[in-house]
Amino acid sequence: MYLSRFQLIKIQIAKLFDKLYLPDNVCLSCKNYFKPSFQGYVCDDCISSISPKIFEKEPFDYIDDYRIFSSYEGALKEMIIALKFKKASLFANIIGDIVENDFFAFVKSVNPDIVTYVPVSFFRFWQRGYNQNELILKALNIRYKSILKRVRHSKALSLGIEKVQRKKIVFGAFNIKQEFKFGLEDKSILVVDDIVTTGATATEIARILKLHAVSKVYFYFIASHKRAVGML
Ligand SMILES: [Zn+2]
C-alpha cells in the first residue's frame, strides 16, 4: 500500500493520540480524518461497511451449532483489537449495535437456556479490568451468566500455531465455576466469543460443558479469520 507523506504523518499523529489514550478524529480503519462524533475512533463509513457474512460451516467437536457474524478484517478487526488493548469499552457498544440483529436472530433459532461468554485469564482481566466478551453481552442487553473460568493462563494463541498444537495449549484451560457446576444438566448453552480461528478454544469449552451434562452447546463468534463465502 502506498502511503503519502501526509498520510504517514496522520498515522503518526494517530499513534501519538493512542498512546495518550485520547480520542482523536483519525479513523482507526481507513486512517482518514473525520468529523469528531460521539463514537470517536472509527468513522461512520467504515462502520457501515461492516456487514454480516456467510461462512462455510466446518463442524466443531461438541458444538451443536454456531454462527460467525463477519470476517476479521477492516473496521471490525480494528474495533476488536481496540476493545482488547485499549481501555475503550465504548467499542463494545458499537460492536453490540452492529451485531444486534444477527445475534438475536441466532438466539431465536437456537433458543438457549443460558447465555455466557469465553472468559479471559485472571491476568488479562487484571490488566484490562474487563472481559471484552462480557462487555459485548452487556451492550446487547441480554441476560447472561458468568459460568466459565480460566484455570490457567495459556499464552495468547497466535495465528501461526497449528490446529493440533492449539488443541494441546487450550486443553484443561477452562472449567465451570463451582456455583454453576451442578445446575447445568440438560441445559442448552450459548457461548459468545469475539474471534474464532481454528475453533480449539470453543471446542475445549464445549467439551467441558458436555462433561457437565449440558445437552446442547452453541457458539456465537463476532469474527473469523476464515474467508467468507458470501454476504448475508
Ligand atoms: Zn474510516
Side-chain angles (χ1 to χ4, degrees):
M1 184 172 59
Y2 171 78
L3 290 173
S4 71
R5 200 187 149 86
F6 180 61
Q7 279 173 312
L8 286 171
I9 292 168
K10 278 201 300 190
I11 292 166
Q12 288 308 316
I13 293 170
K15 280 186 180 158
L16 186 68
F17 273 110
D18 271 0
K19 282 207 181 94
L20 298 168
Y21 288 117
L22 289 173
D24 58 79
N25 53 353
V26 176
C27 174
L28 277 176
S29 185
C30 65
K31 316 292 180 203
N32 284 324
Y33 272 109
F34 64 97
K35 224 171 130 193
S37 61
F38 167 72
Q39 96 271 358
Y41 295 107
V42 179
C43 75
D44 291 342
D45 288 347
C46 285
I47 287 178
S48 59
S49 72
I50 302 168
S51 61
K53 288 188 178 150
I54 300 164
F55 294 84
E56 209 173 299
K57 261 283 177 67
E58 174 198 351
F60 289 144
D61 291 346
Y62 311 106
I63 298 175
D64 296 275
D65 197 6
Y66 66 92
R67 159 95 190 122
I68 299 164
F69 171 70
S70 199
S71 305
Y72 186 62
E73 62 185 20
L76 187 58
K77 178 179 174 177
E78 296 303 331
M79 287 198 284
I80 289 172
I81 293 172
L83 176 56
K84 281 188 183 179
F85 299 107
K86 280 186 201 175
K87 298 192 182 215
S89 61
L90 85 133
F91 287 108
N93 290 322
I94 306 172
I95 292 171
D97 266 1
I98 294 166
V99 304
E100 193 176 16
N101 290 340
D102 188 78
F103 175 75
F104 283 104
F106 186 69
V107 170
K108 210 177 158 191
S109 75
V110 297
N111 195 24
D113 297 313
I114 298 169
V115 176
T116 192
Y117 56 88
V118 174
V120 292
S121 68
F122 176 76
F123 175 67
R124 289 224 179 78
F125 186 81
W126 174 78
Q127 263 183 325
R128 293 176 200 154
Y130 59 84
N131 174 314
Q132 74 276 7
N133 294 320
E134 185 178 12
L135 285 187
I136 293 170
L137 283 178
K138 279 198 175 128
L140 285 164
N141 206 12
I142 188 167
R143 281 169 70 98
Y144 65 88
K145 287 180 180 172
S146 310
I147 65 170
L148 296 159
K149 62 176 181 182
R150 256 188 217 254
V151 287
R152 59 183 170 78
H153 175 73
S154 56
K155 58 180 181 184
L157 293 174
S158 62
L159 256 184
I161 306 174
E162 292 294 314
K163 191 167 182 172
V164 180
Q165 214 182 336
R166 297 175 85 94
K167 258 189 162 166
K168 275 190 197 154
I169 292 172
V170 295
F171 189 85
F174 299 93
N175 209 337
I176 291 157
K177 288 183 184 170
Q178 199 57 38
E179 63 265 41
F180 294 105
K181 268 192 174 165
F182 301 99
L184 302 178
E185 206 178 316
D186 294 330
K187 296 275 193 279
S188 61
I189 299 186
L190 169 63
V191 189
V192 171
D193 202 0
D194 52 359
I195 305 168
V196 58
T197 307
T198 60
T201 299
T203 304
E204 175 60 11
I205 286 173
R207 186 182 72 83
I208 292 297
L209 289 171
K210 294 238 160 140
L211 268 179
H212 289 79
V214 168
S215 67
K216 301 267 184 198
V217 177
Y218 307 109
F219 264 82
Y220 186 86
F221 304 104
I222 308 292
S224 169
H225 287 285
K226 285 224 174 91
R227 193 193 272 271
V229 292
M231 307 278 264
L232 200 70

